[in-house]
Amino acid sequence: MAPRKIIIDTDPGQDDAVAILLALASPEDVDVLGITAVAGNVPLELTAKNARIICELAGKTDVPVFAGCDRPLGRDLVTAEHVHGKTGLDGPSLSDPQMPLQEQHAVDFIIETVSAHDTGTITLCPLGPLTNVATAFQRAPDIVEKVQQIVLMGGAYFEVGNITPTAEFNIYVDPEAADIVFKSGVDIVVMPLDVTHKALVTKPRNDAFRALGTPVGVAVAEMTDFFERFDKEKYGSAGAPLHDPCVTAYLIRPDLFTGRHVNVEVETSSDLTIGMTVADWWRVTGRPANAMFMGDIDADGFFGLLTERLARL
């Protein structure tokens, strides 16, 4: 089969970086048409910079990077430097990028690219807040039916929230955008905290990255060394969850994941539960299913894939 054509929409973030590296290391499975940056973990100026740093780390400077929306649709931006550090990629020492940022706005790139390709041939892979994707759908509603699939990291159900008691960060930052995307009718696959919290970078797994002995392997290990301190203190877990690489891994090895096709709605008005992804896991509402909501992962298979592919870069 030909590799899937994808657009990675991202707010790097150490785990975003690993997701991008996995995609760039897997050309037989995914064809990265472009990377679109959005404000999220850190402000847009840094996410657009970080995306280019990652491409250069991978030696893939031909992948175009576009800057997108610098704030949510109708809210002030909430960022996560407390997790990712002031740059978003704290941990390794990485040089400023030399490759240029594209002049075209990320939203225009998404619209133009989906429009130019046959229906059902472009997959959108959001790793951060859904502002760019929702804005593209609002500006060009005719592209919605052309999108093959959206595979995103965001939300939670049984794991509830990581930025508030009830909300996962990506959805919480721009719940209105998430609401637009989940109501779009596109085939959606969701990697929620329920899955990503089972993809833990334990010491042996991180040692395997470092043992690759390459700039990529060492950088990934150093990124994880940095941001795992937050998760281990918060959750008492054995390591940091690698959230966003679950998206890329699904495109390569969907058999690593299991879930249910259920209805998912996003809370946009409650002060108490704003940004909550209300997943009808037990199918009690009668509302039509709109997303494949993943619930489990083969973690050993996931880290085996990750280590094998990162060794290529």
Side-chain angles (χ1 to χ4, degrees), residues 19-200:
I20 294 167
L21 291 169
L22 177 57
L24 296 178
S26 306
E28 71 271 41
D29 297 298
V30 291
D31 178 8
V32 183
L33 302 181
I35 297 174
T36 53
V38 68
N41 285 322
V42 287
L44 179 66
E45 181 181 357
L46 286 173
T47 61
K49 176 182 177 181
N50 291 347
R52 289 176 289 148
I53 289 173
I54 298 156
C55 289
E56 290 190 355
L57 176 64
K60 306 289 185 180
T61 57
D62 56 331
V63 177
V65 176
F66 304 82
C69 299
D70 64 357
R71 66 192 57 140
L73 295 182
R75 299 175 183 272
D76 294 333
L77 177 64
V78 176
T79 55
E81 288 89 350
H82 62 290
V83 179
H84 299 280
K86 63 182 185 345
T87 69
L89 289 181
D90 281 20
S93 178
L94 299 170
S95 301
D96 285 347
Q98 301 303 305
M99 62 184 284
L101 186 66
Q102 301 296 310
E103 292 186 6
Q104 187 178 28
H105 193 281
V107 171
D108 294 326
F109 170 73
I110 292 170
I111 294 170
E112 181 181 285
T113 304
V114 175
S115 298
H117 286 76
D118 292 340
T119 295
T121 58
I122 303 292
T123 296
L124 303 180
C125 301
L127 310 178
L130 289 160
T131 316
N132 283 343
V133 176
T135 302
F137 285 2
Q138 285 184 314
R139 288 187 188 171
D142 55 308
I143 71 168
V144 173
E145 65 181 12
K146 296 195 69 177
V147 174
Q148 178 182 5
Q149 195 172 53
I150 295 173
V151 184
L152 67 90
M153 189 277 135
Y157 185 63
F158 296 102
E159 286 286 310
V160 289
N162 64 354
I163 188 69
T164 74
T166 58
E168 179 275 330
F169 177 81
N170 287 342
I171 306 298
Y172 176 78
V173 170
D174 199 344
E176 284 77 18
D179 186 50
I180 289 168
V181 170
F182 276 92
K183 288 178 177 175
S184 67
V186 176
D187 178 14
I188 298 175
V189 176
V190 184
M191 295 293 163
L193 298 182
D194 306 278
V195 163
T196 67
H197 279 181
K198 297 172 183 174
L200 296 178

